[in-house]
Amino acid sequence: MTPREGSERAAAERLTSGIQPEAARLLLARCLAGDLPASRALRELFEMTAEPESVRSLVDQITKRAAILSRAGDRLLQDRVDELTQLVVEPDNTH
């Protein structure tokens, strides 16, 4: 693991800390770390919760945390958060 990958994983953990359910937190952490495309993460969240409002709430939590907790070096992470948010706002763009 490169130092950059390590810092991305740490930032993803920071942004997802305390998210419930735990399975959703792990899924979001994988997405934000770059291990899972945003469109797939959203599909899996929808399958997990079966409630669009729950998925929207999870993504909203991540978006708010990113705005508050992201650091200058977290640009790639912020891009991943933005992609998740965009897919929730405009679901016709999912792959």
Side-chain angles (χ1 to χ4, degrees):
M1 179 182 320
T2 68
R4 180 176 178 89
E5 290 170 333
S7 70
E8 286 176 8
R9 290 194 191 294
E13 289 294 323
R14 188 173 67 247
L15 290 181
T16 60
S17 177
I19 296 283
Q20 292 297 322
E22 179 66 9
R25 186 196 72 73
L26 292 171
L27 190 70
L28 288 165
R30 286 181 54 214
C31 176
L32 297 180
D35 297 333
L36 186 67
S39 58
R40 183 166 167 207
L42 285 178
R43 277 195 305 273
E44 289 187 28
L45 284 171
F46 279 117
E47 290 171 6
M48 183 185 306
T49 66
E51 298 177 6
E53 298 82 21
S54 294
V55 173
R56 176 81 184 238
S57 176
L58 289 166
V59 173
D60 285 348
Q61 286 180 59
I62 294 297
T63 302
K64 288 175 187 172
R65 289 173 179 211
I68 295 167
L69 300 174
S70 285
R71 299 174 181 153
D74 292 345
R75 186 66 235 160
L76 187 55
L77 182 76
Q78 184 62 51
D79 289 346
R80 292 178 185 136
V81 170
D82 291 346
E83 183 178 5
L84 272 172
T85 303
Q86 190 66 32
L87 288 173
V88 169
V89 172
E90 297 180 19
D92 293 340
N93 292 336
T94 58
H95 304 295

